[in-house]
């Protein structure tokens, strides 16, 4: 019987070395994730959420309409005692005060605000019992990006001692350390100066905010 180690090694070799000599695995093998007729990026994120032990996301833009399905998943995870961390920011003023208010309502989600200039990350990290899965690409956490737009994401699974995973975790830890907790007082201050996203900002944001 193959161990998790053997299955993971074969999946990695299948995706990154030779698919003819190594057996692939549709769940943990390296793969390109996009929005096509058969699948959507959100479906992959949801699957990872429902099977993970915890997660950390670093994502710049969040739309209100993606918080509805996200809250449903987070409610299910809360029943299993699973929580996560979300690092986001204020780049271009894309995230509305309402988005931050709604994020505060999710009890099993720790939200941090990056103070890095031009924070525009899109990385999703999922911890599992024996491995980590990382999805990095062009997709923000918006309905357009996760269900419709032409977006590319690379999903890679590895042990925690893998070099790539360590590099991503180090970057996430650095971003976490330089971020601040999301609080009600922070939202009040943000709301005072926030203006709805202008057309120029929407263009720079790849038109990912939907009315």
């Amino acid at each position: 019987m193959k161990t998790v180690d053997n299955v993971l090694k074969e999946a990695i070799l299948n995706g990154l070395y030779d698919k003819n000599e190594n057996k692939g695995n549709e769940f943990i093998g390296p793969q390109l994730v996009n929005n096509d007729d058969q699948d959507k990026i959100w479906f992959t994120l949801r699957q990872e959420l429902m099977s993970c032990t915890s997660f950390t996301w670093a994502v710049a833009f969040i739309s209100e309409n993606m918080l509805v399905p996200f809250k449903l998943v987070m409610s299910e995870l809360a029943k299993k005692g699973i929580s996560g961390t979300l690092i986001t920011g204020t780049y271009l003023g894309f995230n509305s005060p309402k988005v931050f208010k709604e994020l505060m309502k999710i009890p099993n989600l720790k939200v941090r605000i990056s103070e890095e200039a031009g924070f525009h990350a899109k990385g999703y990290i999922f911890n599992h019992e024996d491995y980590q899965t990382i999805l990095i690409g062009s997709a923000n956490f918006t309905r357009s990006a996760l269900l419709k737009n032409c977006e590319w994401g690379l999903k890679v699974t590895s042990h925690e001692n893998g070099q790539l995973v360590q590099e991503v975790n180090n970057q996430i830890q650095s971003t976490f350390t330089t971020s601040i907790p999301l609080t009600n007082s922070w939202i009040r201050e943000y709301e005072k100066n926030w203006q709805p996203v202008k057309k120029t900002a929407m263009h720079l944001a790849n038109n990912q905010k939907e009315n």
Side-chain angles (χ1 to χ4, degrees):
M1 183 176 181
K2 291 185 178 180
T3 65
V4 173
D5 280 353
N6 290 333
V7 173
L8 181 55
K9 287 178 181 178
E10 285 191 359
I12 292 173
L13 290 171
N14 172 274
L16 301 179
Y17 182 67
D18 190 334
K19 68 185 178 100
N20 296 318
E21 294 185 6
N22 301 280
K23 187 174 182 180
N25 185 293
E26 63 178 313
F27 297 109
I28 61 176
Q31 58 182 283
L32 180 68
V33 180
N34 56 15
N35 297 316
D36 57 30
D37 294 337
Q38 304 299 320
D39 205 359
K40 306 296 180 184
I41 297 174
W42 166 239
F43 299 163
T44 297
L45 294 179
R46 184 178 61 191
Q47 180 185 57
E48 290 294 330
L49 282 171
M50 295 304 295
S51 62
C52 73
T53 56
S54 65
F55 66 89
T56 301
W57 291 0
V59 56
F61 300 151
I62 302 169
S63 63
E64 295 174 21
N65 47 25
M66 273 311 299
L67 293 182
V68 176
F70 181 57
K71 284 183 176 180
L72 291 175
V73 173
M74 291 304 294
S75 177
E76 290 299 312
L77 295 184
K79 296 175 184 177
K80 300 189 290 184
I82 295 172
S83 61
T85 298
L86 170 64
I87 306 172
T88 187
T90 61
Y91 185 49
L92 299 179
F94 183 91
N95 294 335
S96 69
K98 185 176 180 181
V99 162
F100 291 120
K101 291 176 183 179
E102 292 302 312
L103 288 173
M104 286 283 290
K105 296 178 182 179
I106 305 175
N108 54 332
L109 182 68
K110 179 187 296 182
V111 183
R112 306 275 297 188
I113 304 298
S114 172
E115 296 190 304
E116 294 183 48
F119 178 78
H120 201 224
K122 300 120 177 147
Y124 306 85
I125 302 175
F126 303 90
N127 298 314
H128 298 272
E129 289 186 4
D130 301 309
Y131 58 90
Q132 280 188 314
T133 296
I134 299 170
L135 195 155
I136 295 178
S138 62
N140 280 293
F141 199 70
T142 68
R143 185 174 182 83
S144 293
L146 300 182
L147 294 170
K148 183 174 66 175
N149 287 355
C150 178
E151 308 276 358
W152 288 2
L154 182 62
K155 190 180 92 163
V156 178
T157 295
S158 172
H159 281 303
E160 292 185 357
N161 58 355
Q163 178 66 29
L164 177 61
V165 166
Q166 288 184 356
E167 290 180 2
V168 174
N169 285 334
N170 289 341
Q171 183 63 58
I172 281 285
Q173 184 58 46
S174 175
T175 302
F176 182 92
T177 301
T178 57
S179 65
I180 60 175
L182 177 65
T183 63
N184 288 320
S185 60
W186 183 93
I187 296 175
R188 286 193 293 269
E189 288 299 314
Y190 179 70
E191 195 168 21
K192 289 178 182 178
N193 301 312
W194 181 79
Q195 296 292 329
V197 179
K198 297 180 181 180
K199 290 183 178 180
T200 52
M202 288 181 70
H203 176 71
L204 291 171
N206 298 319
N207 294 318
Q208 289 185 323
K209 186 179 178 75
E210 294 185 349
N211 296 325

